[in-house]
Amino acid sequence: MHPRNIYRQTPDFRQLAVSYPPLKHFLQPHPNCIDFQDEEAQRCVTEALLHRDFDLEVQLPRNRLCPPVPNRLNYILWIQDIVRACEVVAGEQAVVGVDIGTGASAIYPLLGCRLEPSWSFVVTELDDLSESHAQKNVRANNLSDRVRIMKATATGPILIPLSDPSQNFYFTMCNPPFYSSTEDVVRSSEAKEFGPSAVCTGATVEMITEGGESAFVRRIVEESLVFGTRCKWYTSMLGKLSSVGEVVESLKANSIENYALTEFVQGQTRRWAVGWSFTRIRLPDTASRVSNPNPLIQRYLPPHNTIRQPAKTDTKALQDVLLGISGAAIESRSSHFLVKTIGNTWSRSARRKQLRQMELEGENGVPEIIMICSLAVTREYVEFQWVQGKTRSLFESFCSHVSRKITSSR
Ligand code: SAH
């Protein structure tokens, strides 16, 4: 579970019922128990958590998916990590995000708006009933000026909000219909999200799409190629391990090397989320790589953007090393240094110099910042965080150079 997820411990349902009395009716005699086989009880828990913890009034229709709040919160917190990483480079700008298939609850834009008062959303929905409920839920929370709902069509493009060239987005997110057929649903039920005995209330349109989630997300990948940097990070949740490999392969086949793969674990349920970008913004490993991956996931992980070099040093010594690098701009922040370079100014070799000359000639002959890197010191190591850049080898060369200098200056 995400470290900032407030549901790391199962909620105390009795206490929850105190702040949301309709839940009292569903409390079981067994301490802290709810019958998740009971659809109404499931909906009531979601409504209660959204009410108590996010000040959201949400009504969920009977015959549509009931979103488990802890799982949905995981995804939006990961999106928050991505936005924060973008802000290191871009500064604080208006954040507009896209949610594909927002569902009757409109849970992602509602949670997103509560977590971040400056965010707004353009969201899509295919199903009429879900769309009208989503509209109601957005209005009920006075968020109509921050959440715009667009109607999608089954045969049209998926990323419809991006077709407006005047609008840029920070992120797209999507919890796609997972399954390819009814048999597929029966084989692995989304009901597991609430625990082994939960009932699943999803309608066919919410659960099933041709080719399953993998085909749906690969379509998003294809469409994103056209929009490129109009959106900083494209993302999607995935419910099946097999889809992770298929989607990562499709990213690689399209030469998208800047991608992220994370895992959301909640009780017995494991979900993954994949993200990719055509910008040069690099995410920290905490957001771009599953920590403690099993071997099946390990081989799909992107390379590290966070490198720790064991070194006994202190902030002053590190600063001296950084100041010794000609051409690098050093900003001292509260817990780290931000280093901006416009080329490889630390290596002496002729080949490097040649490369540097090429790198300096950015668009229109204006030198471009080609790498931003953040460095922090602890007692045991220096941590290098690649923040922005195109050439991985340059980041790695910079890390080795600084580490060598630190060692030799002791
Ligand atoms: N975001 C919600 C709902 C996810 S279920 C949640 O996480 O709880 C998937 C949703 O995608 C359903 O509401 C379904 O109607 C919608 N959907 C399916 N195909 C779509 C498409 N092509 N464009 C937009 N929405 C679509």
Side-chain angles (χ1 to χ4, degrees):
M1 212 180 262
H2 192 285
R4 292 195 303 281
N5 197 313
I6 53 175
Y7 304 115
R8 292 171 75 80
Q9 304 280 332
T10 307
D12 179 330
F13 295 117
R14 261 166 228 291
Q15 236 177 40
L16 183 60
V18 173
S19 42
Y20 194 74
L23 188 64
K24 283 195 183 135
H25 176 67
F26 298 105
L27 292 173
Q28 300 271 302
H30 183 275
N32 202 31
C33 196
I34 293 280
D35 178 9
F36 282 108
Q37 274 296 332
D38 178 347
E39 291 180 22
E40 263 187 77
Q42 228 185 76
R43 276 195 296 277
C44 197
V45 168
T46 289
E47 289 166 1
L49 292 173
L50 292 173
H51 168 83
R52 183 191 65 180
D53 299 331
F54 297 96
D55 191 21
L56 287 167
E57 300 309 320
V58 171
Q59 287 199 349
L60 303 165
R62 281 171 182 272
N63 46 359
R64 289 294 179 271
L65 205 64
C66 168
V69 183
N71 163 279
R72 302 310 194 256
L73 184 60
N74 266 336
Y75 189 0
I76 202 89
L77 289 170
W78 181 61
I79 290 288
Q80 203 178 31
D81 293 339
I82 293 178
V83 169
R84 286 177 184 177
C86 293
E87 282 174 346
V88 176
V89 176
E92 285 184 25
Q93 300 172 348
V95 172
V96 188
V98 169
D99 177 27
I100 300 296
T102 202
S105 60
I107 190 153
Y108 289 127
L110 295 189
L111 281 177
C113 285
R114 279 294 186 264
L115 284 182
E116 291 285 353
S118 66
W119 287 10
S120 58
F121 283 81
V122 180
V123 307
T124 71
E125 181 47 59
L126 177 65
D127 172 44
D128 288 333
L129 186 105
S130 291
E131 191 222 11
S132 69
H133 277 274
Q135 296 280 15
K136 274 188 210 151
N137 284 324
V138 167
R139 273 199 302 273
N141 292 287
N142 293 323
L143 289 169
S144 304
D145 55 339
R146 292 172 61 196
V147 182
R148 183 156 70 88
I149 304 182
M150 294 177 79
K151 187 76 174 60
T153 55
T155 49
I158 298 179
L159 293 178
I160 38 175
L162 275 89
S163 50
D164 173 3
S166 65
Q167 175 79 66
N168 288 329
F169 295 95
Y170 252 78
F171 59 85
T172 67
M173 63 191 303
C174 175
N175 180 10
F178 285 158
Y179 306 104
S180 58
S181 64
T182 324
E183 298 79 63
D184 199 15
V185 177
V186 176
R187 269 199 301 276
S188 83
S189 166
E190 201 201 14
K192 277 191 295 191
E193 249 175 64
F194 263 114
S197 57
V199 70
C200 181
T201 58
T204 306
V205 63
E206 297 177 285
M207 312 281 286
I208 296 173
T209 187
E210 202 182 328
E213 59 175 9
S214 164
F216 195 86
V217 180
R218 282 181 287 140
R219 262 180 70 197
I220 300 182
V221 173
E222 293 287 332
E223 290 185 21
S224 74
L225 296 172
V226 177
F227 299 119
T229 54
R230 190 172 297 171
C231 171
K232 289 187 181 15
W233 276 85
Y234 299 86
T235 74
S236 182
M237 180 126 88
L238 294 168
K240 289 183 185 178
L241 186 56
S242 60
S243 314
V244 172
E246 289 166 17
V247 172
V248 170
E249 293 304 341
S250 114
L251 293 174
K252 290 185 175 167
N254 286 296
S255 309
I256 302 171
E257 51 74 44
N258 190 10
Y259 73 95
L261 176 58
T262 193
E263 186 174 71
F264 306 132
V265 183
Q266 194 207 323
Q268 301 200 323
T269 313
R270 230 165 250 273
R271 298 256 180 269
W272 297 270
V274 63
W276 63 98
S277 179
F278 301 95
T279 71
R280 295 177 178 189
I281 299 169
R282 305 287 166 169
L283 303 182
D285 281 8
T286 45
S288 66
R289 290 171 55 96
V290 176
S291 53
N292 304 320
N294 75 29
L296 293 171
I297 282 290
Q298 177 87 42
R299 62 198 176 117
Y300 296 118
L301 292 180
H304 290 274
N305 295 334
T306 309
I307 294 183
R308 283 182 179 177
Q309 299 277 17
K312 292 214 183 309
T313 185
D314 56 36
T315 309
K316 171 78 179 63
L318 176 61
Q319 186 175 26
D320 289 344
V321 168
L322 295 177
L323 290 173
I325 301 172
S326 68
I330 320 289
E331 282 173 37
S332 178
R333 304 262 173 117
S334 56
S335 58
H336 61 274
F337 293 105
L338 206 62
V339 178
K340 297 183 182 178
T341 72
I342 51 168
N344 183 340
T345 56
W346 52 90
S347 168
R348 288 204 187 86
S349 85
R351 198 179 65 78
R352 292 282 191 204
K353 276 196 179 143
Q354 210 177 12
L355 194 68
R356 178 184 160 196
Q357 199 50 45
M358 281 160 49
E359 283 158 348
L360 283 174
E361 289 156 13
E363 260 175 63
N364 311 321
V366 179
E368 283 180 76
I369 298 283
I370 61 153
M371 186 182 71
I372 304 182
C373 172
S374 124
L375 292 93
V377 187
T378 72
R379 268 164 195 261
E380 283 89 30
Y381 55 82
V382 180
E383 186 176 274
F384 298 80
Q385 174 58 56
W386 195 18
V387 175
Q388 182 194 315
K390 187 173 171 211
T391 318
R392 177 171 296 279
S393 58
L394 197 69
F395 167 61
E396 289 166 353
S397 154
F398 180 80
C399 298
S400 321
H401 173 81
V402 173
S403 305
R404 266 198 315 274
K405 285 282 174 193
I406 288 171
T407 315
S408 63
S409 69
R410 288 206 346 259

